[in-house]
Amino acid sequence: MPLSGRWTLTRYLIEQRRRFPGASGDFNALLLDVALACKAIARIVAFGTLADTVGTRLPNGANGIAPGGQLNVQGEVQKPLDVLSNEIFIRMNEWNGHLAGLASEEMDGPKQIPASYPRGKYLLVFDPLDGSSNIDVNVSVGSIFSILRAPQEAIDSGRDVTEADFLQPGAAQVAAGYAIYGPTTMLVLSVGNGVAGFTLNPNLGEFVLSQPDIRVPEQTQEFAINSSNSRFWEPPVKRYVDECLAGKTGPRGKDFNMRWIASMVAEAHRILMRGGVFLYPRDTKDPAKPGRLRLLYEANPIGYVMEQAGGRASTGRQPILGVKPSALHQRIGVVFGSKDEVERIERYHHEPAPSEAPAPLFAPRSLFRD
Ligand code: F6P
Ligand code: MN
């Protein structure tokens, strides 16, 4: 039985690995490097705007991993935090021999493993700093990651990875999670056997197990949506939100509360802790963009964690994890959180819109139908 407050992330991963006697340990080593990247980013984020100030010294960890030029010898940050976070993820993971390639929000195409390092069997996909509009205002941001297996033939040949190698449905993920940089830094992770939460103990510099088995409550009275987009919503979303807003006297018969942080990581975290539903649905705002969030490094990893925690993640029409991606930076409508609410929203998408529904007189089993 995992011991909350006693087990480090390392111990948790070793105990999980015992389920697979043949496992080599590569996977665990990779996750520890991902966690190290998150710790380094947490330190830099903690400096806030001071990180941009000439002469500010960053912690040694940040100095140590930066390639020449991005942090100068005085430890000055010369690049925006999201670019720096991307570089940290790359530097912490490209050398270890466990990856065949990387991809992220900050790079147009896949990043190859430099020839000087061995290639491994996993693909790492990440959003190095999610919630970028909150970076400058001291509101929680985070990093999201997804681990896939590279195609066997790419592993065997050691060839360069291609965009197509990454276009795997979310159900194929072997692990996914996120770090949240809030009042505390936390890592929330699933290796396919439920979801565990770890809190960074700043004294030890270690992630320590704090939530051994996170479960999303199936019901909720809290929703999150950017309602400034309401005029662009599709009818099923409008209907759902209208019914929430109608509260006790409406069809739902209960009052709802609403939250919008604008850091998806933070919304996902709140929902994992106490339930709720998050929507960034497909809308008609920009026909070129079928949704705001990205499938491979936002929707899929968060969807995986939600489902592993007993919640649900959907496009509104189908499970997120079943979508076959068509491009690395593909956008998609996203609904996730408490199971009953997500299922209700899916139901609304599948029911005919009220205007399309047959008039009662012509409905099946009505007077004028046989
Ligand atoms: O990465 C995209 C993101 O920053 C999410 O973290 C967040 O949920 C969303 O964008 C916020 O969007 P908006 O600016 O429309 O509220
Ligand atoms: Mn993001």
Side-chain angles (χ1 to χ4, degrees):
M1 180 62 189
L3 273 182
S4 150
R6 296 271 183 84
W7 282 19
T8 60
L9 173 62
T10 309
R11 171 144 187 209
Y12 175 85
L13 291 174
I14 289 172
E15 302 277 359
Q16 289 292 318
R17 195 183 71 196
R18 294 198 171 126
R19 293 186 297 131
F20 305 99
S24 63
D26 288 7
F27 176 62
N28 283 1
L30 171 60
L31 284 169
L32 289 175
D33 283 334
V34 169
L36 187 57
C38 295
K39 285 196 271 190
I41 296 168
R43 291 298 291 142
I44 291 172
V45 166
F47 273 77
T49 50
L50 294 181
D52 291 328
T53 311
V54 175
T56 297
R57 282 197 166 273
L58 284 170
N60 288 338
N63 253 335
I65 49 79
Q70 275 76 47
L71 285 182
N72 68 16
V73 281
Q74 283 90 41
E76 294 159 359
V77 177
Q78 296 171 314
K79 294 197 163 192
L81 284 184
D82 43 6
V83 176
L84 185 55
S85 304
N86 190 57
E87 280 161 5
I88 288 174
F89 255 89
I90 294 170
R91 301 294 168 240
M92 292 284 189
N93 288 286
E94 67 180 355
W95 64 273
N96 56 28
H98 306 312
L99 291 180
L102 305 88
S104 98
E105 180 178 337
E106 302 296 334
M107 302 184 284
D108 288 350
K111 166 94 180 70
Q112 305 300 336
I113 301 300
S116 47
Y117 302 125
R119 292 184 175 183
K121 55 180 179 284
Y122 296 107
L123 300 171
L124 178 61
V125 192
F126 55 98
D127 177 353
L129 207 50
D130 175 64
S132 40
S133 68
N134 283 323
I135 293 174
D136 297 333
V137 293
N138 201 11
V139 170
S140 297
V141 291
S143 303
I144 311 173
F145 56 88
S146 158
I147 297 176
L148 297 161
R149 212 176 285 278
Q152 191 58 44
E153 139 281 320
I155 301 170
D156 294 342
S157 64
R159 66 160 168 77
D160 279 1
V161 288
T162 63
E163 175 167 355
D165 297 337
F166 289 84
L167 304 183
Q168 306 182 29
Q173 293 170 104
V174 289
Y178 63 85
I180 177 167
Y181 314 120
T184 60
T185 291
M186 288 190 66
L187 184 83
V188 172
L189 175 73
S190 176
V191 294
N193 184 30
V195 179
F198 303 83
T199 303
L200 184 65
N201 177 329
N203 290 339
L204 297 175
E206 285 275 5
F207 281 114
V208 177
L209 186 63
S210 45
Q211 279 91 2
D213 185 21
I214 298 173
R215 306 295 300 167
V216 181
E218 289 185 4
Q219 281 121 34
T220 184
Q221 293 178 220
E222 197 162 74
F223 68 101
I225 192 164
N226 181 347
S227 59
S228 70
N229 293 324
S230 60
R231 68 190 183 283
F232 305 114
W233 291 342
E234 295 180 331
V237 173
K238 262 198 167 74
R239 172 182 173 192
Y240 177 75
V241 174
D242 282 348
E243 290 181 2
C244 290
L245 295 177
K248 250 195 193 102
T249 51
R252 301 298 306 272
K254 58 181 185 177
D255 288 337
F256 279 75
N257 199 358
M258 202 209 80
R259 289 285 182 274
W260 188 251
I261 304 170
S263 287
M264 189 191 51
V265 153
E267 322 265 9
H269 191 68
R270 184 191 62 244
I271 289 171
L272 284 163
M273 295 296 111
R274 69 168 189 222
V277 61
F278 170 96
L279 303 93
Y280 216 124
R282 189 175 90 180
D283 61 29
T284 59
K285 193 172 184 176
D286 178 354
K289 287 186 189 158
R292 164 103 157 85
L293 299 174
R294 270 60 53 101
L295 175 58
L296 282 174
Y297 39 83
E298 294 181 318
N300 272 346
I302 296 296
Y304 185 81
V305 169
M306 285 293 153
E307 301 246 337
Q308 283 287 326
R312 193 168 170 85
S314 173
T315 65
R317 293 169 171 79
Q318 68 172 116
I320 289 276
L321 301 184
V323 175
K324 172 85 179 85
S326 55
L328 204 51
H329 300 288
Q330 177 179 352
R331 293 176 191 263
I332 197 153
V334 175
V335 178
F336 64 71
S338 294
K339 200 162 179 269
D340 289 1
E341 293 303 299
V342 178
E343 282 174 355
R344 172 183 290 270
I345 295 164
E346 287 178 316
R347 213 162 54 235
Y348 289 3
H349 279 85
H350 291 127
E351 281 172 9
S355 58
E356 293 165 22
L361 277 183
F362 296 95
R365 298 175 56 211
S366 75
L367 218 49
F368 303 112
R369 285 261 171 108
D370 48 33

